[in-house]
Amino acid sequence: MITMIGGEMPEYAEQHPPADGPLYRHLLDRLPTGIRVLVAGPHHTGLIRALADRREVTCLLRSRPDAEALPDVDVLCGTLSKLTETDRYDVVVALDGVGRLVSPEDTPLDWAESVRVLKRALRPGGTLLLAVENKLGVHRLVDPGTATADPAADAWTPLGEFSGEPGRPDRLTTVLGAEGLPVTSLMSGWPSLRRPSLLATPEALRYGPLDALSAFAAHATAGAYAEIPVLSDPRRLAAASVRRGIGAELAPVWLVTAQRAARPSPALPLPPVLFASPDASSPVVTELLSTPDGWLRRPVNGPAEPLPAGHLLEERLLTAALGHDLPRLRRLLTGWMTELPMAAAGNVLVDGERFTILDPGVPELPDALARFAHTLLDGGYHHPWPGVTDVVRLIAVLAGAAGVSAPPDISEMSVSIGRREQEAQLTELRKRLADAEERTRFFEVELEKREAELGRAKTQIAAFSGNLGYRAAKAGLVLARAARNRIRKGRT
C-alpha cells in the first residue's frame, strides 16, 4: 500500500542504481525477526524482499514511479521532512545515504537535519544502519570530473567541499554521538556507496593483516572501474592507502550502526572484515576473524580456516621488475606458473617458496600471465626489458622467464588506464622520441660529411681523368697490355 505524505515526485524516477550487493544482504539478514523496519531511500527489491521475510517493512521513497514498482510492502511516498513521529520503528535502514531522501518539492535538508529526522523515527533503543559517502574517498580522488558538479538530474543538494557530511570516521562518530545516536560499530567500505564488496573496521585496518586487506581493497576496486576514465589507477591507490594506515580515511563509504539509546551489547554484531568477490557469478560472503592464534577466513555457513600468510605476489613481481632483479623475477614467475598458473597475481600470496590463493571465490583466469603483462606495461612500470614496448612481446618474454613453453592466449581485457599512467607512458614515449631525434640528427650530420668527402673525391677523379698526362698514361697502359698478350701467345 502506498501512502502519499507530501513532497512526492510524481513523474521522476531515480537515475542512479539503488543500494544492493551481497554484503548489504548479509547485514540485513542479521537483523532480528519480528521487528518493524523503515527502509529509507532507494534499495534493491531483492534486499527489500529478503528483509520483509518475517519482518514488518515500510519503505520511504520520494519517487512515485519507484514506489509503485516495489513489491507488496507498505510505502511512504514523499520527502523526508514530511515523515512524522506517529510511527516509530525498531530499525531504520539507510544504506543509500540520505542524499536521495529529499525532493525539490519541499525545503531541502542538510545531512545533519536528515539524520535528526531519521532519529525521530526510531523507538528508544532503536538501531540506525546508515551509509555515509566519503567525499574525499578513493572514488572521488580518481574521478576526472569535479566534485562540485553532478550531471545527474537529482543533484539538488550541495556537493564536494560544500556538503555537510563529516569528513573522517572519528568525526562521524562524534557527530552522531552528539545527536544522541552513539555508534556501536563502524566499518569502511570499498569500492562504492551503493554496492560495497569489502567492509572492514578501523581496528582491522590498523592491526589486521595488511597484505590481505590491501589485496582485498585492490580487488574490490578493480572491477568497479573497468573501462571507466580515471585520473589514476584506483586499485593501486586503494591498496596503498590500506598499507600506509589511512585506508579508513580514504574509503569511499562508511557504514555505521548507531542506537538511539545505549544498550549493553550492540544490536547488530559484525565481524572485523566482510568480503565478497566482485568477479564471482554467485559471490560468497567471507568473514575474517581475529583469534589469539591469528586471523581466520570463514565463508558464511562454511568452516573456518587460517588466513594464508605472506605478501602479495603482484607487489613482489612489480618490486623485482622495478629493481631489475632478474633472478628474483624469474624465481617468482616460475613458482607462480608452476603452482598456480590460473590465479591472478593480485590473488596470490607468496611466503618463501609457498604460493597460496588469497580469495578462493575469484574465478580462474587462463590469461593470468597476460594480465600481469598488461599491468606492467599499462601501469607505466619500469622493467628489465626497455626495448620491449608492446604487450605481445612482453608476454612472450615473461613466458620464457617463467618456463612456459608457449605464451598464453591474449583475451580482451576490461582495464581502465588512469590519466596519470597515460601521462607516464607519454613521458616515456617523449624520451624515446627525443633520443631517436638526437640519433637522427647525428646521422644526418655524418651523412652530410660523407657526401662532402664523396663530392671532393669525384671532383678529383674528374680532374685527373681529363688532363693530357692521364690520357697518355692510359694509352701506354693499353699498349703495354697488348704487348704482354703477344708475348704470351708467342711462348705458347
Side-chain angles (χ1 to χ4, degrees):
M1 182 181 67
I2 300 178
T3 302
M4 302 297 172
I5 61 175
E8 65 275 358
M9 303 170 68
E11 302 295 335
Y12 175 80
E14 301 291 349
Q15 295 188 2
H16 291 300
D20 191 16
L23 292 191
Y24 281 160
R25 170 71 178 269
H26 178 71
L27 294 177
L28 296 182
D29 287 341
R30 286 172 170 258
L31 292 175
T33 60
I35 60 174
R36 298 192 69 204
V37 181
L38 174 66
V39 180
H43 291 69
H44 194 271
T45 54
L47 294 181
I48 297 176
R49 288 193 183 98
L51 193 59
D53 184 20
R54 296 178 297 172
R55 301 176 187 89
E56 183 182 346
V57 174
T58 302
C59 296
L60 172 64
L61 294 172
R62 62 182 181 180
S63 167
R64 182 169 182 174
D66 292 338
E68 293 173 347
L70 281 181
D72 297 331
V73 294
D74 293 334
V75 181
L76 301 177
C77 187
T79 188
L80 178 63
S81 60
K82 300 298 183 180
L83 192 64
T84 64
E85 300 182 34
T86 305
D87 292 329
R88 293 193 175 184
Y89 303 88
D90 300 297
V91 176
V92 172
V93 177
L95 299 179
D96 190 70
V98 298
R100 294 198 284 181
L101 293 177
V102 296
S103 75
E105 306 297 333
D106 194 25
T107 304
L109 304 177
D110 60 17
W111 185 86
E113 293 170 338
S114 300
V115 170
R116 293 189 192 105
V117 175
L118 294 179
K119 173 195 170 184
R120 291 198 297 267
L122 283 172
R123 290 175 177 172
T127 300
L128 171 65
L129 191 59
L130 174 67
V132 181
E133 182 183 7
N134 180 10
K135 298 301 184 181
L136 286 178
V138 169
H139 65 306
R140 290 286 189 182
L141 297 180
V142 302
D143 186 2
T146 173
T148 56
D150 193 332
D154 59 356
W156 301 300
T157 55
L159 296 172
E161 59 266 31
F162 306 109
S163 59
E165 296 95 332
R168 292 203 320 243
D170 55 347
R171 290 183 179 177
L172 176 60
T173 302
T174 302
V175 170
L176 290 177
E179 295 291 342
L181 292 168
V183 174
T184 58
S185 65
L186 184 145
M187 304 187 83
S188 302
W190 290 265
S192 63
L193 166 71
R194 297 182 177 97
R195 192 181 177 89
S197 55
L198 172 64
L199 294 172
T201 63
E203 292 76 16
L205 293 172
R206 190 176 300 116
Y207 306 113
L210 292 182
D211 287 293
L213 291 176
S214 61
F216 283 140
H219 188 57
T221 308
Y225 292 92
E227 300 180 348
I228 297 178
V230 290
L231 291 176
S232 182
D233 187 353
R235 193 173 52 90
R236 293 162 60 184
L237 182 57
S241 65
V242 172
R243 187 174 296 280
R244 300 298 179 183
I246 56 174
E249 285 74 11
L250 295 184
V253 58
W254 300 308
L255 181 65
V256 294
T257 303
Q259 295 176 320
R260 186 166 182 179
R263 286 182 178 178
S265 61
L268 187 62
L270 300 175
V273 180
L274 283 171
F275 180 77
S277 175
D279 298 333
S281 56
S282 300
V284 176
V285 177
T286 302
E287 301 177 350
L288 296 189
L289 307 174
S290 177
T291 66
D293 298 329
W295 285 81
L296 299 179
R297 177 179 61 190
R298 185 183 67 187
V300 174
N301 301 325
E305 58 181 6
L307 184 68
H311 301 283
L312 199 62
L313 172 63
E314 185 178 66
E315 294 183 0
R316 290 295 178 260
L317 288 171
L318 293 176
T319 302
L322 290 172
H324 290 201
D325 191 348
L326 284 175
R328 187 182 182 191
L329 193 58
R330 290 193 189 100
R331 186 171 61 252
L332 290 172
L333 288 172
T334 303
W336 175 28
M337 290 292 102
T338 302
E339 300 292 335
L340 300 169
M342 306 285 282
N347 192 36
V348 177
L349 293 177
V350 54
D351 186 13
E353 300 297 328
R354 188 179 67 165
F355 294 79
T356 54
I357 293 288
L358 175 62
D359 180 16
V362 178
E364 293 185 343
L365 301 173
D367 57 345
L369 189 62
R371 290 174 179 268
F372 175 71
H374 278 277
T375 299
L376 191 62
L377 201 61
D378 297 340
Y381 293 97
H382 292 283
H383 53 79
W385 309 282
V388 179
T389 57
D390 62 281
V391 69
V392 176
R393 292 178 58 199
L394 183 58
I395 292 173
V397 170
L398 293 177
V404 180
S405 58
D409 295 334
I410 306 170
S411 60
E412 295 293 331
M413 296 180 58
S414 300
V415 231
S416 178
I417 304 176
R419 295 184 182 179
R420 181 178 299 173
E421 286 74 25
Q422 291 177 342
E423 186 63 31
Q425 294 177 10
L426 289 176
T427 302
E428 183 64 24
L429 291 176
R430 291 189 186 102
K431 290 180 181 179
R432 294 179 182 178
L433 182 60
D435 181 66
E437 290 177 348
E438 186 66 27
R439 285 188 281 117
T440 301
R441 285 193 293 268
F442 172 77
F443 291 134
E444 287 178 351
V445 172
E446 289 295 318
L447 184 60
E448 290 176 357
K449 291 180 181 179
R450 301 296 171 85
E451 287 180 348
E453 293 175 356
L454 182 60
R456 288 193 297 268
K458 288 181 178 180
T459 302
Q460 292 176 358
I461 292 172
F464 286 129
S465 62
N467 58 18
L468 181 60
Y470 175 79
R471 284 189 290 229
K474 187 174 181 181
L477 180 61
V478 171
L479 293 174
R481 286 176 178 172
R484 182 190 62 185
N485 292 336
R486 285 196 212 98
I487 293 171
R488 288 178 178 176
K489 289 180 180 179
R491 290 178 180 176
T492 57

